[in-house]
Amino acid sequence: MSFLTALSLSFTNLLTKKTRTILTALAGSIGIIGIALILSLSTGINNYIDDIQQDAMDSYPLTVDKQAFDISSLMSNMPLQTMNDKEPHEDGKVYSNTAMVQQASAMSGSMKQNSMNKFKAYLDDPSSPINQHLGKNGVVYSYNAGFDIFAYDSEGVLINTDGTTFVNDNAAAKIMMNNDLFNVEDIMNMMNSSGSIGNFVNCFIQLPSRPDGTGISDAVSDQYELVYGEWPAEYNEVVLALDANGEVMSNYLYMMGLLPASQYNEIVNKVQAGETVVEKVESWKYEDICKSEFYLVPACDQYQKNGEGWYDYLGASQQDMDSVIAEKSITLKISGIIQVKNDNVAIPNIPAVGYTKALSDYVISYSADSQIVIDQSENPEFDVLTGKNFADEKDNLLARLVPAMKALIPEKTLEGNLEKLGVISYDSPTSISIYADSFDEKEQIINCINAYNDSVDEQDKIIYTDYVGVIMSSVSSIIKAVSYVLMGFVGVSLVVSSIMIGIITYISVLERKKEIGILRAIGASKRDVSHVFNAETFIIGLSSGLIGVGGTLLLLIPINALLHHYLESVIVSAAFPVKGAIILVILSVVLTMIGGLIPSRIASKKEPVEALRSE
């Protein structure tokens, strides 16, 4: 007897018991539906996480900075003793607590200078294994071109867009930034300053370029849409970046000069006086805001040669900077306005205004030919910014600092001066951004970096930053774990349904003894009889699987409607994967047939005479 014949006999028999067959198939499908729904929800959430990861990897790629914190070293060296961990002191005495110095020492010891030139050579080598895992945005190199960008507010106040205008003790901050003087008191006052509101980091940022170093990377256009004007085409053109609501943080608006500095100072005074402040919401038309102008002044132009042959810093005086801006600045214009796409759930990585690599390249080229750079290069032992010998400056500084502060304060060197003045080597970038197109590819890139670290000397090992990797991998692991647990519970129902189908198949054996006898009497073998009942369980299992898949697809309609309603978004949708549906149908058939094996063997062992006379 062929298996098709066995199927035909079983199908005919099942048709005579339609109600019981349908109820049995429905009962068997419950477990399939449960697992399918969990799989669909898990798939939908994982798809959502994948989208977040992709957006996040575009916003926050793996980064390698010239100066980086070794987090593992920091955590191992940081004193974490509690009161209970300390040895008890003898009563009657006052003891010093050394935790602050230990923390400062741990932080300074965890700072590491990455060997950027060697790592860049590794990345640029076509044979490096890391290249096969890079994403469409590739590797982006950033350089410290050495410039400040200024704006005038509506009251004519000169604003530095790096935020230092709004930080207390601005003069000390400038001293720290320019390393012109090493006045410890000013530095400490600046470090302890308070009263500023908001996070005043530079509102200008260089946009990632394409892997070939030109234009603007897809990492930007994938996250932002152009809502007005054009993307930058010239080196002195920039774009204003808006969030999904078309807004810009007010602290950036002050730094851009769009809101007056006096208004900010008034808010600070009210806050310090304990008053409640409600900031007015301002707005500008696209065409009006694109009329704004910014003035870039290269670092090399912020110094003026004095009669003694060294250079005075002009940045502390608005009058001096007004003259520099009028004579030497590069005027930057907003060519277009971009806005975060509504489906982008990652935090945008553009503070407010983005410029292109072309601007950095222009300033780097300009700075290399400046007179101050030429003078400093021709006098390698002499600091043209202070008129002192580099060695003498270092000795005077270290004598005035406590040990913990010595490692936070940069040394004055020829290389440091040249870099501050905008002289850079393209072989040694300030920062490297490494993009991947998927979370798995990012993990492969990390493996390649680890392999690179294993192949180089200790001083050449690279410390990288993965902002979202740990968080996202943890979330994915939690979701997978919860899904597996839920599937385990629902899987119990599959086992129960298999046992139930086995019982029903055994009842069918008892009801069909005469049929078994007739089959055996006309020449059917024991295997043929077994095939008849295996075919019956096959049909029931297939029906259960198909009902389970169909029922799941129907249930997903109201489930997704509820998800979208309560989440007030369509970013998460349960999705039943085709591969999962096929596997569940096969699983239903296999488990059902396993449940019917024993009854089918019992049926096959019945003798023809006994089966015929049982009725």
Side-chain angles (χ1 to χ4, degrees), residues 203 205 207 220 224-225 227 231 238-244 246-249 252-253 256 289 334 336-340 348-354:
C203 65
I205 190 173
L207 299 174
V220 178
Y224 293 85
E225 59 182 341
V227 294
W231 290 96
V238 299
V239 289
L240 176 67
L242 312 178
D243 65 16
E247 298 176 344
V248 177
M249 295 293 290
Y252 293 134
L253 296 174
M256 295 167 61
I289 209 166
I334 300 176
I337 298 176
I338 58 177
Q339 184 171 353
V340 176
N349 63 345
I350 303 177
V353 185

Side-chain angles (χ1 to χ4, degrees), residues 26 37 63 122 208 210 262 291 396 440 473 487 495 504 548:
L26 285 173
L37 289 177
T63 58
Y122 166 78
R210 298 191 186 99
S262 60
K291 294 177 183 178
N396 292 333
D440 291 337
S473 61
M487 286 183 185
V495 176
I504 293 174

Side-chain angles (χ1 to χ4, degrees), residues 112-339:
K112 185 180 186 301
Q113 289 288 124
N114 278 323
S115 181
M116 304 297 276
N117 54 343
K118 289 190 177 181
F119 188 61
K120 182 178 184 295
Y122 166 78
L123 293 174
D124 291 341
D125 184 356
S127 64
S128 296
I130 197 172
N131 288 298
Q132 60 184 315
H133 302 294
L134 297 177
K136 61 182 179 181
N137 296 314
V139 178
V140 176
Y141 301 113
S142 299
Y143 300 88
N144 184 10
F147 57 78
D148 281 319
I149 299 175
F150 299 90
Y152 288 98
D153 68 8
S154 58
E155 298 173 351
V157 177
L158 183 64
I159 308 296
N160 193 322
T161 61
D162 65 2
T164 54
T165 304
F166 301 99
V167 177
N168 282 4
D169 273 329
N170 185 42
K174 278 294 181 184
I175 290 171
M176 183 68 171
M177 290 179 62
N178 291 283
N179 294 340
D180 297 324
L181 301 173
F182 287 109
N183 187 302
V184 178
E185 290 75 22
D186 284 343
I187 292 174
M188 294 304 297
N189 288 335
M190 185 275 292
M191 293 176 68
N192 294 324
S193 66
S194 61
S196 61
I197 299 175
N199 183 19
F200 286 102
V201 296
N202 202 322
C203 65
F204 275 75
I205 190 173
Q206 180 178 316
L207 299 174
S209 58
R210 298 191 186 99
D212 61 1
T214 63
I216 296 176
S217 168
D218 292 340
V220 178
S221 57
D222 287 346
Q223 296 180 74
Y224 293 85
E225 59 182 341
L226 187 71
V227 294
Y228 182 81
E230 303 291 339
W231 290 96
E234 302 295 330
Y235 75 94
N236 64 333
E237 292 181 339
V238 299
V239 289
L240 176 67
L242 312 178
D243 65 16
N245 294 323
E247 298 176 344
V248 177
M249 295 293 290
S250 61
N251 56 318
Y252 293 134
L253 296 174
Y254 287 114
M255 295 161 67
M256 295 167 61
L258 294 174
L259 294 176
S262 60
Q263 180 176 310
Y264 170 79
N265 294 329
E266 181 181 347
I267 292 174
V268 171
N269 292 334
K270 288 183 178 180
V271 170
Q272 291 179 338
E275 300 180 29
T276 301
V277 178
V278 178
E279 195 173 12
K280 179 185 176 183
V281 176
E282 306 280 356
S283 64
W284 297 262
K285 292 182 179 180
Y286 287 160
E287 55 266 30
D288 291 336
I289 209 166
C290 284
K291 294 177 183 178
S292 303
E293 292 186 343
F294 306 96
Y295 308 98
L296 182 149
V297 180
C300 59
D301 286 341
Q302 296 181 37
Y303 298 86
Q304 185 178 55
K305 199 169 188 177
N306 59 29
E308 298 178 9
W310 52 286
Y311 287 80
D312 295 325
Y313 176 62
L314 305 177
S317 166
Q318 175 166 343
Q319 183 177 356
D320 289 337
M321 289 306 299
D322 286 341
S323 299
V324 173
I325 288 172
E327 297 174 8
K328 298 182 179 181
S329 69
I330 301 168
T331 302
L332 306 182
K333 298 182 179 181
I334 300 176
S335 67
I337 298 176
I338 58 177
Q339 184 171 353

Side-chain angles (χ1 to χ4, degrees), residues 7 78 122 196 202 311 385 391 419 451 584:
L7 279 175
M78 186 72 74
Y122 166 78
S196 61
N202 202 322
Y311 287 80
L385 304 183
E419 182 177 352
L584 285 178

Side-chain angles (χ1 to χ4, degrees), residues 502-515:
I503 294 172
I504 293 174
T505 304
Y506 179 68
I507 294 173
S508 179
V509 170
L510 297 178
E511 292 175 343
R512 298 168 66 186
K513 284 184 179 180
K514 187 175 182 180
E515 181 184 346

